[in-house]
Amino acid sequence: MPADALGHAAWSAIRLTLELAGLTTLILLVLGTPLAWWLSRTRSWWKGPAGALVALPLVLPPSVLGFYLLVTLGPNGPLGQLTQSLGLGVLPFTFAGLVVGSVLYSMPFVVQPIQNAFEAIGERPLEVAATLRASKLDTFFSVVLPLAKPGYLTATVMGFAHTVGEFGVVLMIGGNIPDKTRVVSVQIYDHVEALEFTQAHWLSAGMVAFSFAVLLGLYTLNPTGQRKTGLSR
């Protein structure tokens, strides 16, 4: 992509998008691991409702999720009042607000592959570790995580790529503030509105190439794991 085909605003949007996707993926891997482990092991009645909540962004229109986040995190919302009382201000139309929205919207793309990987391990490796007197924590880090590596690879790639491609949620919760909340998808929308089709073409073509490269890498590096640890729809 020639540098002169894009201006400062576009490169700033690219940088912001990569930062958002990287931070969101990291947070989801940390928070999603215990959630996925619980969903894969529990027999509680709560597994159904919890799994449905995790998967909700797969079918919920992004604008709906963005709207309720805007209301909840706004100055009159319960979480907005909490953040203000803690001296954090309000999160809408900030990078932190983008992170919150992206974490919620990309959650199933990280949690479900990890959950499926945990479920595919079965009971036998855990029983063997128990006979060797390994603690639950040692079993998890020494047995479960290595066996679930394909699921983590899928979760990382899909979580990052999905966050890069977000539009509705980030536009609702973050708005369109240059150098602060304007990500690539919103920048493309701005170019189209301004009839700047050349710039829109370069950014869109870059997104297509990125998406193809992500999927190609996933299918190449993890040809069997991506089928076993893919998303449930």
Side-chain angles (χ1 to χ4, degrees):
M1 183 182 300
D4 55 359
L6 300 174
H8 166 77
W11 286 111
S12 176
I14 292 172
R15 174 190 57 80
L16 190 66
T17 301
L18 295 177
E19 291 177 358
L20 176 64
L23 182 57
T24 297
T25 304
L26 179 61
I27 292 174
L28 280 173
L29 288 174
V30 173
L31 298 181
T33 293
L35 177 57
W37 179 249
W38 180 80
L39 287 171
S40 68
R41 304 294 296 173
T42 185
R43 296 182 180 179
S44 169
W45 177 88
W46 289 103
K47 178 178 180 178
L53 284 175
V54 169
L56 193 60
L58 292 174
V59 297
L60 191 67
S63 56
V64 173
L65 178 59
F67 169 72
Y68 281 112
L69 281 174
L70 191 61
V71 171
T72 304
L73 299 175
N76 298 320
L79 293 182
Q81 293 180 354
L82 175 62
T83 56
Q84 290 180 94
S85 66
L86 295 175
L88 302 176
V90 291
L91 297 183
F93 310 113
T94 66
F95 182 78
L98 286 183
V99 173
V100 172
S102 298
V103 165
L104 292 177
Y105 191 52
S106 294
M107 183 173 293
F109 292 85
V110 174
V111 173
Q112 286 190 354
I114 298 176
Q115 177 188 345
N116 292 338
F118 287 159
E119 291 174 346
I121 293 174
E123 296 291 337
R124 182 62 179 169
L126 305 182
E127 293 172 353
V128 172
T131 61
L132 297 176
R133 298 183 179 181
S135 66
K136 291 184 178 180
L137 192 62
D138 185 35
T139 299
F140 183 79
F141 283 101
S142 300
V143 178
V144 174
L145 287 185
L147 291 176
K149 185 178 178 180
Y152 274 93
L153 175 60
T154 301
T156 301
V157 172
M158 295 302 295
F160 187 91
H162 185 257
T163 303
V164 168
E166 290 176 359
F167 177 72
V169 170
V170 294
L171 183 61
M172 291 289 287
I173 193 66
N176 188 4
I177 305 175
D179 300 324
K180 291 185 179 180
T181 63
R182 182 186 291 169
V183 294
V184 169
S185 57
V186 177
Q187 184 67 43
I188 293 173
Y189 180 78
D190 282 352
H191 284 316
V192 174
E193 273 200 324
L195 302 180
E196 298 171 347
F197 294 119
T198 299
Q199 292 88 334
H201 162 71
W202 280 113
L203 279 178
S204 298
M207 291 289 285
V208 171
F210 170 78
S211 301
F212 178 78
V214 164
L215 293 176
L216 178 62
L218 181 61
Y219 277 72
T220 301
L221 297 175
N222 197 17
T224 57
Q226 59 85 20
R227 289 194 294 270
K228 295 178 181 179
T229 60
L231 295 174
S232 302
R233 288 186 180 269

